[in-house]
Amino acid sequence: MGIVVTLILAVLVAVFALGNPQAVDVNLWPRGWVAEMPLWQAILVPAALAFLAGALVASGAGLRKRRRLAELEQASRLMEAELASRDKPRRA
């Protein structure tokens, strides 16, 4: 579902951006530099950077979850092995 929403938003941003080809002045804060560029670049470049930043944050969260899952699986295997060794009949 998330990919569908992302694709719809990406298409809407692209259609809006490409429908506005006129040049605009962009003030690059904090240095005060001014760049003249087509409006579609002023829209798509920040949108792409925001998308990449979100992807990095999401992948970092996924990495932590996968690491925690691996730790829990290891602990589960150790507990299962301990229980299996307790269940074995002892020789007299």
Side-chain angles (χ1 to χ4, degrees), residues 36-67:
E36 184 177 325
M37 63 181 64
L39 183 57
W40 67 268
Q41 286 180 350
I43 294 170
L44 286 182
V45 170
L49 291 174
F51 175 79
L52 290 175
L56 285 173
V57 169
S59 67
L63 180 62
R64 285 190 299 274
K65 287 180 182 179
R66 285 190 299 274
R67 185 179 300 133

Side-chain angles (χ1 to χ4, degrees), residues 5-90:
V5 172
T6 302
L7 288 175
I8 290 171
L9 288 175
V11 168
L12 289 174
V13 168
V15 167
F16 175 77
L18 294 175
N20 293 289
Q22 63 271 23
V24 294
D25 288 335
V26 178
N27 186 3
L28 302 173
W29 179 84
R31 300 295 254 173
W33 296 332
V34 176
E36 184 177 325
M37 63 181 64
L39 183 57
W40 67 268
Q41 286 180 350
I43 294 170
L44 286 182
V45 170
L49 291 174
F51 175 79
L52 290 175
L56 285 173
V57 169
S59 67
L63 180 62
R64 285 190 299 274
K65 287 180 182 179
R66 285 190 299 274
R67 185 179 300 133
R68 179 70 177 142
L69 178 61
E71 291 170 358
L72 292 173
E73 286 175 342
Q74 176 68 20
S76 174
R77 282 193 295 272
L78 290 172
M79 287 183 214
E80 287 173 354
E82 184 178 336
L83 286 174
S85 68
R86 289 183 180 182
D87 291 341
K88 290 183 182 178
R90 296 182 182 171

